[in-house]
Amino acid sequence: MTAHSRNTPQFYLTAPSPCPYLKGQSERKVFTHLVGDNAPQLNDLLTHGGFRRSQTIAYRPACETCRACVSVRVRVEDFQWTKAFRRNRAANADLIGAESAPIPTSEQYSLFRAYLDSRHSDGGMADMTVLDYATMVEDSHVRTRLVEYRRRGAESAITGRGAGPLQAVALVDRLSDGLSLVYSFYDPEQAERGLGTHVILDHVARCRAEGLPFLYLGYWVEGSPKMDYKRRFRPQEHLGSGGWEIRED
C-alpha cells in the first residue's frame, strides 16, 4: 500500500444520499482531510475553490444531476447597509460579541440544543450529543475562533465582554482574505431580535475592521427556503465555472 504524507491531500467521493435541501434530489460530496502542518493553507485554498469545513473535513457538492449549491461570499467594502440592516444593528446594540478560543462549554451546548430543537428538529444535526458538539468546536487544525454574544454589563467597557445569559454563538475560520462563518446558532426565544442576521452583520463589521475583503457564507441553494436568506447580504459574489463573479440580481 502506498503511504501518503499528511500534508498531501487525498480526495474521496461519498455515496449518494438524500439531499437535505431539495426534495427528491440526492447529493454526493467530494471531501478531503484538513490535517498536518499545511491545514490552514489548504483550508484557505479549498474555501476559495468552493469547499466548506466541518471539523477536520473539507467538502463540496459533487452531485451528478444538480448544480443548485453555489458558494457565496459578501463583498465587505461595498456592503449595502439597508434600512432593515440598520434597524437590526440598532435593536442589538446592547449585545457584545467576545472572541475566544474554540473551547466548548455546557452553556453553549444548552443554547445549541434549544436552537436545533426549535429550528432544525428534522435536520441532520438533530441528534447531536454534547460530545458531538464538543468535537464540532474543538476538532480543527485551522485558524478557528468562537464569538459569544451577551448583553452589555456594568463592566463591559472595561472587560470588552458581555454579561448574563448567552444569546448567540458563531464558529468562524480566519482566511487570508476574509472570515468564513462555519456555523452559528442563537436563542430561539429571541426571534424578534433577528440574531441570525445580527451575527452576519457583526462579521461584516469585523471583516472591515480587520481589513478583510470577504465574508464567506457557505452555500446558497436555489429553490431552498432554508438558504434564501443569504441573498439579502449584498453585494455578493458567487463561484461559477469562470471563478468568483458578482451577483447582479
Side-chain angles (χ1 to χ4, degrees):
M1 180 179 295
T2 302
H4 296 288
S5 167
R6 285 166 59 87
N7 291 328
T8 303
Q10 304 297 310
F11 291 87
Y12 308 91
L13 187 64
T14 66
S17 62
C19 176
Y21 301 112
L22 299 177
K23 186 177 181 180
Q25 293 283 358
S26 62
E27 69 167 0
R28 299 188 78 178
K29 296 176 182 176
V30 60
F31 70 94
T32 189
H33 296 278
L34 292 169
V35 295
D37 297 337
N38 291 336
Q41 294 83 356
L42 181 60
N43 185 47
D44 204 290
L45 179 65
L46 292 177
T47 302
H48 293 161
F51 281 72
R52 291 288 286 168
R53 184 183 73 81
S54 177
Q55 298 166 207
T56 59
I57 297 292
Y59 68 91
R60 67 170 297 173
C63 306
E64 296 175 357
T65 61
C66 180
R67 296 292 182 270
C69 293
V70 179
S71 294
V72 174
R73 67 185 187 186
V74 177
R75 293 169 59 122
V76 171
E77 186 65 28
D78 306 318
F79 185 71
Q80 298 171 5
W81 287 92
T82 65
K83 290 182 179 179
F85 287 159
R86 294 183 187 280
R87 286 196 297 270
N88 181 282
R89 290 284 274 176
N92 291 291
D94 61 333
L95 297 183
I96 291 181
E99 292 183 12
S100 65
I103 299 174
T105 66
S106 58
E107 185 184 22
Q108 291 168 17
Y109 180 71
S110 293
L111 184 64
F112 176 71
R113 188 72 263 162
Y115 172 78
L116 289 183
D117 292 344
S118 174
R119 302 295 297 272
H120 301 287
S121 59
D122 59 346
M125 302 174 74
D127 295 329
M128 286 181 66
T129 67
V130 64
L131 293 178
D132 294 329
Y133 174 76
T135 300
M136 181 180 80
V137 172
E138 291 180 320
D139 201 3
S140 172
H141 292 245
V142 304
R143 293 168 292 187
T144 303
R145 60 199 187 193
L146 276 175
V147 181
E148 293 188 337
Y149 295 85
R150 303 177 192 270
R151 287 189 173 92
R152 295 179 185 275
E155 298 183 359
S156 293
I158 299 172
T159 65
R161 307 182 70 85
L166 196 56
Q167 303 292 311
V169 177
L171 184 65
V172 189
D173 286 349
R174 177 64 150 81
L175 306 174
S176 62
D177 65 348
L179 300 176
S180 175
L181 282 170
V182 177
Y183 196 77
S184 63
F185 54 94
Y186 49 87
D187 184 352
E189 295 185 1
Q190 301 288 327
E192 72 283 355
R193 279 185 171 267
L195 290 170
T197 295
H198 176 69
V199 168
I200 295 176
L201 296 178
D202 182 59
H203 278 81
V204 168
R206 288 170 184 270
C207 283
R208 181 182 288 273
E210 295 185 40
L212 298 171
F214 300 112
L215 175 63
Y216 290 80
L217 296 183
Y219 300 118
W220 169 67
V221 184
E222 187 171 9
S224 171
K226 292 181 180 180
M227 293 296 183
D228 202 52
Y229 71 92
K230 295 183 182 182
R231 297 174 57 190
R232 298 187 296 123
F233 301 90
R234 303 187 179 194
Q236 61 182 232
E237 295 181 0
H238 289 191
L239 183 60
S241 58
W244 290 97
E245 300 174 340
I246 190 73
R247 177 81 176 197
E248 299 295 344
D249 58 353

